[in-house]
C-alpha cells in the first residue's frame, strides 16, 4: 500500500494523542442520542450531547485495576494516565519491585510468585478491586484475560471488564465451538475432526481420517501453548500427551482437538474494534508468519502479501464473526493463508494482542484507549473510512532465551540494560536495569517496534535498534532477531510459518559472517586496541612523549586478532608518509596524530578453526579461508577507551567514497582482551603480537568433557516426570524425563544407547541449567 502523506506517529511509550472532538467522525448524532437514552433514559439537546462527548470531560473512570503484570500492565497504565484515570497494580511477591508496581498509583499484593497462587487467583484480585474501589478492570493478555468466569464475576459486582462479555469469551475460547460458530457465520474454516479427542485410539482414528500432517491443539489454548504438529502416529501420540499437559497447566482445561495442518501457510490476523452500539471496524492486518514452535518472533503491519481486495474480504469476515457472538471491545481474528491467497479461520483472541503496537503505529489509533471507552459505554471514535495505512511497522519480540541452545529460557538479573532510541523507535517493556527474569513467568524482555514510510526503511531502522540494544546478565535472542533481519527471504517478504524451520533446520548457529563483516569487525577492534594502548601509556612531554609514541606505533604496526571460536586475522598498518614523529609537539594530542597515521589497514587470515564432520558447533560461521588476503581499508573510528560503543567509518580498498557505518557494542575492554557485540552476536578476541600468536600454536589443546552419556537440563525449571528407572536399558532418542519451564513442557531424550546407572533428581524438584539429571553407561 502507498503510505499516507499524513505525518507518522511520534516515538515514545505511546505515540497517539486524543483525536479530540473535531476528529470524531465515527460518532454521529444518532449514536449520541442512542447512548444518552440508554444511559439516562432521557432525551438530550444536540449541543449538550456533543459537549458530553468532549475530551475535556472528567475521566470515564476514576480508577482502573490491571489484572496483569510486566510490559502489558505498563502499556495499559500509560493510556489510562493520559486519560486522567488513576491506576491500581496487583503483584506477586516476586514482582514487588517490578516496573508496573512502581508505575501505578496504588498496588496490592496478591500472593506468592507462582501464577496459580497470584495472577490466576480470581478471589484475590476481586478482593483487590473491592479494597481499592476500582471501577473497571483491564486484563491485558494471558492469565485471566480470556476467562469467562472472571468476566461474569466482575459483571455481578458492577465492575466493568475491558473486554467482551462472557458469552463471546466462552464461544471463542473453545476452539471446537468457535470453529462451528465461524462456519455458521460464513467464515472460511480449516477441514478437521468435529469434536474433542479423549483417547489415544480416538486421536489416531481422527488423524488418519484427516490425513497427515495434522495440528493437535488445545481447545482452550493460545500463545503457542498446547499445540503440536504431527506427521505420523508416533509424533501424534507424543504431541497429544504433551499438549494435554501444557493445556491443563496453562488453561486448566486439557480438551484437545485435531485439524488438518495447512502446509507452508502465512499467518495473517485482523485487528477489530467493536462498541456496544453495533459499530465495528477492522484496523488492517498483521503478518505474523515468522514463528518458532507456534510462537511469534517478528510481526509486521501491513503484510507484503495481502492486497486491498483480500484485506477487505478478511476484515469483513472478521466482523461477521464478531457480530455472531455479540462481540464488544478489541479482538483479533487469526487466519492461515495459502499461496493462492485463500484464507481460513484459525482462532479468535478475545483480548488485547501482544503485537497490537504495530497496528497502532500504522493506523494512529490508541487501541487501549478505545477499549477503555467502549467499556465505559461510549461508541468508537472512528468509522471504517477513517482507518488508513500510514507507512510500515515491524515488531521484534525480545526474549530471555538462548538461541544457541534451541531457544531455551534464560533466567537471571539484567546487570546492564539500555534500550535503543531514535525517530520512530518504540520499546514496550516492563523491566529495567537490575530487574530479574524469573522462571515463573514468560521470558519476554520487551517488544521492540520500528516505524517508517516504507518496509525497507522500517527494517533498516530495526537493524540499528537491535544493534544498539544493550542487554547483559543473561542470554537473549538479539543475535537471532538480527540474523532474521538480514535474511534475503525475509527482506523480500518470502515468508511462511515454516520460515525458521526451513532456513534454520539445525537451529541458530550464529550469524552469517561475510568477508566484509570480518573486515568491519577486525578494523573496529584494531581501532579499539589502539585507543586502549594510548590510554595506558603515561605520555609525558618532549622526548618521553616521542618515545611513547614510537612504542605505540611499533606495537600497532602488526597486530594479530585471535577470535574465540573464529579466525585468526593479522592486521598490518600501512604507513602514511605525510605524518611523521616530527609532527608531535609538546602540546599536541598523540591520539589525534595516531588516528591520522594508522587509518589505512591491510588484513590477512592466518588461520580458521577446523570443524570435524558431524560436529555440533556454535562457532561463528566461516566464510574465510587460511591465507586469504582481505581488501585493504581506510578506517576512521569514533572511540575512546571506556566508551560503551565503537562507531567506525570504513571504506574498502582504501579509496575515497561513501563509507560504511559499523557499530559495535563494547562489552569488555581489558587490554589485550576485548568482548564486543556485532549485529547482536558476541565476539571475544585477543590482540597479540605475531610472536605471541606463534607461541599460541604450541599450547596444549584442552579436551572437552564427554557429555554423551549424560542427560543435562537445558534450562532452569521443574522436573515434571521421570520416565525411566535405574538399570533400565534405553535407546538413543528415547524420552527419559520432562522438564517444565515457564508453562512449557520439554521432553528430554537419551543421548545414546545404554543403561541408566543414576537418576539424580525426582519429580517436582527444581533444577538449574546444565545440571546433570540422568547418567548412562
Amino acid at each position: 500500500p502507498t503510505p499516507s502523506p499524513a505525518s507518522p506517529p511520534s516515538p515514545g511509550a505511546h505515540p497517539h494523542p486524543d483525536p479530540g472532538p473535531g476528529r470524531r467522525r465515527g460518532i454521529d448524532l444518532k449514536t449520541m442520542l442512542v447512548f444518552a437514552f440508554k444511559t439516562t433514559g432521557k432525551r438530550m439537546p444536540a449541543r449538550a450531547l456533543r459537549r458530553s462527548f468532549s475530551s475535556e470531560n472528567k475521566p470515564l473512570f476514576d480508577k482502573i485495576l490491571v489484572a496483569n503484570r510486566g510490559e502489558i500492565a505498563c502499556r495499559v497504565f500509560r493510556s489510562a494516565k493520559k486519560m486522567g484515570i488513576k491506576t491500581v497494580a496487583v503483584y506477586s511477591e516476586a514482582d514487588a519491585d517490578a516496573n508496573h508496581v512502581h508505575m501505578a498509583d496504588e498496588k496490592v499484593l496478591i500472593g506468592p510468585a507462582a501464577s496459580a497462587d497470584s495472577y490466576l487467583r480470581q478471589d484475590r484480585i476481586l478482593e483487590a478491586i473491592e479494597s481499592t474501589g476500582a471501577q473497571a478492570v483491564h486484563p491485558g493478555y494471558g492469565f485471566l484475560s480470556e476467562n469467562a468466569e472472571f468476566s461474569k464475576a466482575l459483571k455481578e459486582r458492577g465492575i466493568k471488564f475491558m473486554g467482551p462479555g462472557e458469552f463471546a469469551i466462552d464461544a471463542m475460547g473453545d476452539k471446537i465451538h468457535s470453529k462451528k460458530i465461524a462456519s455458521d457465520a460464513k467464515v472460511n474454516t480449516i477441514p478437521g475432526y468435529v469434536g474433542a479427542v479423549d483417547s489415544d485410539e480416538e486421536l489416531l482414528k481422527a488423524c488418519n481420517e484427516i490425513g497427515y500432517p495434522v495440528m493437535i491443539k488445545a481447545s482452550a489454548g493460545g500463545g503457542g501453548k498446547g499445540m503440536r504438529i504431527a506427521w505420523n502416529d508416533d509424533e501424534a501420540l507424543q504431541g497429544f500427551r504433551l499438549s494435554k499437559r501444557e493445556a491443563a497447566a496453562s488453561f486448566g482445561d486439557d480438551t484437545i482437538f485435531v485439524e488438518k495442518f495447512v502446509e507452508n501457510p502465512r499467518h495473517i490476523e485482523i485487528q477489530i474494534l467493536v462498541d456496544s452500539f453495533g459499530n465495528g471496524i477492522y484496523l488492517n492486518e498483521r503478518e505474523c508468519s515468522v514463528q518458532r514452535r507456534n510462537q511469534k518472533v517478528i510481526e509486521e503491519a501491513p503484510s507484503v502479501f495481502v492486497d486491498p481486495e483480500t484485506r477487505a474480504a478478511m476484515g469483513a469476515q472478521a466482523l461477521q464473526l464478531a457480530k455472531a457472538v455479540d462481540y464488544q471491545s478489541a479482538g483479533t481474528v487469526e487466519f492461515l493463508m495459502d499461496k493462492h491467497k485463500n484464507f481460513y479461520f484459525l482462532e479468535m483472541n478475545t483480548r488485547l494482542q501482544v503485537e497490537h503496537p504495530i497496528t497502532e503505529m500504522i493506523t494512529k489509533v490508541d487501541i487501549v484507549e478505545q477499549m477503555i471507552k467502549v467499556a465505559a459505554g461510549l461508541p468508537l471514535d472512528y468509522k471504517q473510512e477513517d482507518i488508513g495505512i500510514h507507512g510500515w511497522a515491524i515488531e521484534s519480540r525480545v526474549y530471555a532465551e538462548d538461541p544457541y541452545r534451541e531457544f531455551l529460557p534464560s533466567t537471571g538479573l539484567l546487570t546492564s540494560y539500555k534500550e535503543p532510541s531514535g525517530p520512530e523507535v518504540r520499546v514496550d517493556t516492563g523491566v529495567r536495569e537490575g530487574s530479574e527474569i524469573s522462571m515463573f513467568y514468560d521470558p519476554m524482555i520487551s517488544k521492540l517496534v520500528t516505524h517508517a514510510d516504507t518496509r525497507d526503511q522500517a527494517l533498516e531502522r530495526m537493524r540499528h535498534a537491535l544493534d544498539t540494544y544493550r542487554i547483559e546478565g543473561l542470554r537473549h535472542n538479539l543475535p537471532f532477531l538480527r540474523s532474521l533481519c538480514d535474511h534475503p527471504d525475509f527482506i523480500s517478504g518470502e515468508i511462511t510459518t515454516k520460515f525458521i524451520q526451513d532456513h534454520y533446520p539445525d537451529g541458530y548457529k550464529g550469524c552469517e559472517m561475510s568477508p566484509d563483516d570480518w573486515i568491519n569487525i577486525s578494523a573496529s577492534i584494531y581501532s579499539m586496541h589502539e585507543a586502549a594502548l594510548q590510554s595506558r601509556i603515561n605520555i609525558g612531554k618532549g622526548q618521553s612523549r616521542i618515545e611513547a609514541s614510537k612504542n605505540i606505533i611499533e606495537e600497532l604496526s602488526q597486530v594479530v586478532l585471535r577470535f574465540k571460536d573464529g579466525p585468526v586475522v593479522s592486521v598490518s598498518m600501512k604507513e602514511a608518509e605525510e605524518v611523521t614523529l616530527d609532527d608531535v609537539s609538546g602540546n599536541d594530542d598523540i591520539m589525534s596524530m595516531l588516528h591520522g597515521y594508522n587509518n589505512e589497514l591491510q588484513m590477512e587470515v592466518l588461520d580458521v578453526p577446523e570443524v570435524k564432520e558431524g560436529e555440533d558447533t556454535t562457532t561463528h560461521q566461516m566464510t574465510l579461508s587460511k591465507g586469504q588476503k582481505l581488501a585493504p581499508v581506510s578506517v576512521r573510528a569514533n572511540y575512546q577507551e571506556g566508551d560503551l560503543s565503537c562507531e567506525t567509518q570504513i571504506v574498502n580498498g582504501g579509496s575515497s567514497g561513501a563509507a560504511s557505518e559499523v557499530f559495535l557494542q563494547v562489552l569488555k575492554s581489558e587490554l589485550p582482551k576485548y568482548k564486543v557485540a556485532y549485529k547482536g552476536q558476541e565476539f571475544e578476541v585477543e590482540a597479540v603480537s605475531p610472536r605471541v600468536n606463534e607461541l599460541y600454536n604450541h599450547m596444549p589443546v584442552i579436551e572437552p568433557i564427554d557429555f554423551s552419556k549424560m542427560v543435562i537440563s537445558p534450562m532452569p525449571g521443574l522436573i515434571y516426570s521421570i520416565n525411566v528407572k535405574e538399570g533400565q536399558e534405553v535407546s538413543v532418542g528415547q524420552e527419559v524425563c520432562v522438564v517444565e519451564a515457564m508453562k512449557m513442557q520439554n521432553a528430554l531424550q537419551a543421548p545414546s544407547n545404554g543403561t541408566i546407572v543414576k537418576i539424580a533428581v525426582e519429580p517436582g524438584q527444581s533444577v538449574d541449567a546444565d545440571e546433570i539429571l540422568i547418567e548412562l553407561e
Side-chain angles (χ1 to χ4, degrees):
T2 303
S4 165
S7 59
S10 58
H14 189 76
H16 312 296
D18 189 322
R23 175 65 178 80
R24 300 168 190 270
R25 289 180 287 160
I27 307 179
D28 55 27
L29 185 58
K30 180 180 177 181
T31 300
M32 292 182 185
L33 288 167
V34 172
F35 172 73
F37 188 77
K38 284 176 64 175
T39 55
T40 68
K42 300 177 182 179
R43 296 184 179 277
M44 295 176 64
R47 183 174 299 177
L49 275 172
R50 295 192 185 278
R51 276 201 307 270
S52 72
F53 282 90
S54 169
S55 61
E56 298 175 356
N57 282 337
K58 70 174 186 177
L60 305 175
F61 298 106
D62 294 326
K63 187 185 299 183
I64 67 172
L65 180 146
V66 176
N68 217 300
R69 64 177 299 278
E71 67 87 12
I72 191 58
C74 295
R75 165 68 190 89
V76 176
F77 288 159
R78 284 193 290 271
S79 283
K81 288 180 180 295
K82 182 185 70 175
M83 299 170 72
I85 301 172
K86 292 183 179 179
T87 56
V88 180
V90 293
Y91 68 98
S92 69
E93 293 172 354
D95 278 341
D97 193 39
N99 278 18
H100 78 280
V101 177
H102 291 288
M103 191 174 181
D105 297 303
E106 298 178 51
K107 59 183 180 180
V108 180
L109 175 65
I110 55 173
S115 298
D117 298 323
S118 53
Y119 296 105
L120 290 173
R121 286 288 298 268
Q122 296 185 42
D123 55 338
R124 293 179 180 173
I125 293 176
L126 290 172
E127 289 172 3
I129 295 168
E130 184 176 355
S131 67
T132 59
Q135 300 162 306
V137 173
H138 196 298
Y141 55 75
F143 296 132
L144 298 173
S145 63
E146 295 178 286
N147 188 302
E149 182 183 332
F150 182 56
S151 173
K152 183 179 179 181
L154 293 174
K155 183 177 180 181
E156 291 172 348
R157 289 163 173 77
I159 305 299
K160 295 294 185 179
F161 179 70
M162 295 181 187
E166 60 265 25
F167 173 75
I169 296 175
D170 258 339
M172 294 294 100
D174 184 324
K175 299 300 184 290
I176 299 171
H177 191 201
S178 68
K179 191 172 180 179
K180 294 177 182 177
I181 294 175
S183 180
D184 292 341
K186 307 302 181 185
V187 176
N188 305 339
T189 57
I190 302 171
Y193 181 78
V194 180
V197 291
D198 300 316
S199 65
D200 290 354
E201 293 75 18
E202 194 173 0
L203 169 78
L204 294 180
K205 179 183 177 182
C207 291
N208 285 281
E209 285 179 357
I210 297 169
Y212 290 105
V214 299
M215 176 70 81
I216 300 168
K217 300 175 68 174
S219 182
K225 296 182 176 66
M227 297 175 63
R228 295 291 190 283
I229 299 170
W231 296 79
N232 53 53
D233 286 356
D234 290 340
E235 291 183 4
L237 290 171
Q238 184 186 52
F240 181 56
R241 184 174 67 256
L242 294 175
S243 293
K244 283 181 75 71
R245 291 175 185 170
E246 285 182 4
S250 299
F251 316 112
D253 181 354
D254 67 353
T255 304
I256 298 294
F257 72 104
V258 182
E259 64 185 13
K260 182 69 177 177
F261 174 64
V262 181
E263 297 186 62
N264 298 318
R266 288 175 179 262
H267 185 128
I268 310 290
E269 61 188 31
I270 301 293
Q271 174 74 59
I272 63 170
L273 281 171
V274 186
D275 62 24
S276 59
F277 300 91
N279 304 312
I281 59 174
Y282 62 89
L283 279 69
N284 307 311
E285 79 281 356
R286 295 186 288 256
E287 169 99 43
C288 308
S289 298
V290 180
Q291 305 177 3
R292 186 190 58 78
R293 291 186 64 180
N294 300 309
Q295 295 211 34
K296 300 160 188 173
V297 178
I298 291 184
E299 303 102 341
E300 60 183 301
S303 166
V304 297
F305 194 63
V306 176
D307 55 57
E309 293 76 17
T310 305
R311 177 178 300 117
M314 296 178 79
Q317 289 199 15
L319 292 175
Q320 285 169 211
L321 181 59
K323 185 177 181 180
V325 294
D326 192 25
Y327 197 91
Q328 297 173 23
S329 193
T332 297
V333 182
E334 301 190 352
F335 295 94
L336 292 181
M337 181 179 288
D338 66 21
K339 62 183 179 181
H340 303 295
K341 297 188 179 180
N342 299 310
F343 56 91
Y344 307 95
F345 171 71
L346 183 62
E347 64 182 10
M348 183 177 190
N349 292 315
T350 56
R351 53 169 168 79
L352 184 65
Q353 201 83 331
V354 175
E355 57 274 19
H356 75 275
I358 53 176
T359 296
E360 293 185 324
M361 297 297 271
I362 69 162
T363 62
K364 302 184 182 180
V365 175
D366 183 332
I367 296 174
V368 173
E369 180 183 348
Q370 294 303 302
M371 293 181 76
I372 294 173
K373 290 182 176 181
V374 169
L378 288 175
L380 296 174
D381 287 341
Y382 304 89
K383 287 184 176 180
Q384 191 62 57
E385 55 264 30
D386 299 326
I387 305 303
I389 298 179
H390 305 279
W392 214 282
I394 300 174
E395 175 179 287
S396 293
R397 297 195 186 190
V398 180
Y399 277 101
E401 60 186 12
D402 191 345
Y404 299 100
R405 300 179 64 180
E406 300 182 5
F407 299 90
L408 295 171
S410 177
T411 59
L413 293 176
L414 292 169
T415 57
S416 180
Y417 182 78
K418 184 179 180 182
E419 296 171 355
S421 60
E424 304 300 325
V425 176
R426 170 175 168 177
V427 183
D428 281 17
T429 186
V431 302
R432 63 185 186 278
E433 191 165 283
S435 293
E436 180 182 9
I437 305 296
S438 76
M439 62 177 285
F440 295 104
Y441 311 116
D442 186 272
M444 179 183 285
I445 295 174
S446 73
K447 300 179 306 194
L448 174 60
V449 181
T450 57
H451 176 267
D453 289 338
T454 68
R455 186 176 188 267
D456 287 345
Q457 291 169 347
L459 188 54
E460 182 57 34
R461 194 162 280 168
M462 177 61 72
R463 292 189 189 100
H464 185 263
L466 290 168
D467 286 347
T468 57
Y469 205 151
R470 191 179 188 92
I471 303 174
E472 293 184 81
L474 42 70
R475 305 302 299 176
H476 51 75
N477 67 336
L478 289 180
F480 181 60
L481 294 170
R482 187 59 171 80
S483 177
L484 290 172
C485 290
D486 279 341
H487 197 284
D489 284 354
F490 182 76
I491 294 171
S492 65
E494 296 295 324
I495 53 179
T496 71
T497 57
K498 290 182 64 180
F499 180 86
I500 292 177
Q501 179 182 337
D502 288 345
H503 295 292
Y504 301 86
D506 301 319
Y508 177 70
K509 301 299 182 183
C511 66
E512 185 73 35
M513 292 284 289
S514 68
D516 280 349
D517 285 320
W518 287 115
I519 289 173
N520 291 344
I521 192 172
S522 297
S524 298
I525 291 175
Y526 178 91
S527 298
M528 288 173 52
H529 184 57
E530 174 187 330
L533 287 173
Q534 293 164 0
S535 69
R536 283 161 173 73
I537 295 179
N538 182 19
I539 300 176
K541 295 183 179 181
Q543 185 62 33
S544 62
R545 186 178 179 88
I546 294 176
E547 291 300 321
S549 304
K550 288 181 178 179
N551 293 336
I552 295 175
I553 292 171
E554 184 177 353
E555 190 163 348
L556 289 171
S557 62
Q558 186 174 9
V559 175
V560 178
L561 302 179
R562 298 183 58 88
F563 287 87
K564 181 181 179 181
D565 299 327
V568 178
V569 179
S570 172
V571 184
S572 301
M573 176 180 65
K574 180 181 178 182
E575 296 185 8
E577 295 181 357
E578 64 271 17
V579 182
T580 67
L581 288 180
D582 293 336
D583 294 323
V584 180
S585 63
N587 296 320
D588 284 343
D589 183 1
I590 188 67
M591 184 175 295
S592 300
M593 186 279 293
L594 284 173
H595 273 295
Y597 190 83
N598 297 333
N599 69 344
E600 293 195 20
L601 306 176
Q602 295 175 325
M603 302 177 218
E604 180 180 356
V605 181
L606 301 182
D607 200 5
V608 293
E610 294 183 7
V611 179
K612 299 178 182 178
E613 185 177 352
E615 181 180 354
D616 184 19
T617 176
T618 58
T619 58
H620 309 304
Q621 297 181 28
M622 293 295 105
T623 52
L624 303 177
S625 58
K626 187 175 181 178
Q628 180 179 353
K629 292 185 181 297
L630 302 178
V633 295
S634 292
V635 182
R636 185 172 299 278
N638 180 19
Y639 176 78
Q640 292 185 5
E641 177 67 1
D643 288 351
L644 296 180
S645 63
C646 176
E647 299 179 55
T648 311
Q649 288 185 327
I650 296 179
V651 180
N652 285 344
S655 61
S656 60
S660 60
E661 302 288 338
V662 179
F663 185 93
L664 268 64
Q665 285 192 38
V666 181
L667 306 179
K668 183 176 70 174
S669 177
E670 298 176 356
L671 186 72
K673 297 182 179 181
Y674 308 94
K675 183 178 181 180
V676 300
Y678 174 69
K679 293 186 175 181
Q681 183 167 264
E682 294 181 1
F683 293 81
E684 293 184 46
V685 62
E686 184 174 3
V688 300
S689 67
R691 175 58 179 161
V692 171
N693 180 62
E694 184 181 342
L695 295 175
Y696 259 111
N697 295 326
H698 300 287
M699 296 290 288
V701 178
I702 300 175
E703 294 295 331
I705 300 173
D706 182 11
F707 292 106
S708 63
K709 296 293 183 180
M710 301 177 188
V711 178
I712 298 173
S713 178
M715 77 207 87
L718 292 173
I719 299 297
Y720 180 85
S721 65
I722 300 291
N723 304 329
V724 293
K725 298 179 180 179
E726 291 184 358
Q728 179 180 337
E729 292 187 0
V730 295
S731 56
V732 61
Q734 180 178 335
E735 183 180 309
V736 294
C737 66
V738 176
V739 177
E740 185 176 68
M742 299 174 181
K743 298 184 181 180
M744 297 292 286
Q745 295 193 354
N746 301 272
L748 304 188
Q749 302 170 334
S752 61
N753 298 328
T755 302
I756 304 294
V757 294
K758 183 179 180 181
I759 298 176
V761 293
E762 58 186 23
Q765 180 177 334
S766 296
V767 295
D768 294 324
D770 299 324
E771 184 172 337
I772 298 173
L773 310 179
I774 298 174
E775 296 183 34
L776 297 78
E777 67 173 10

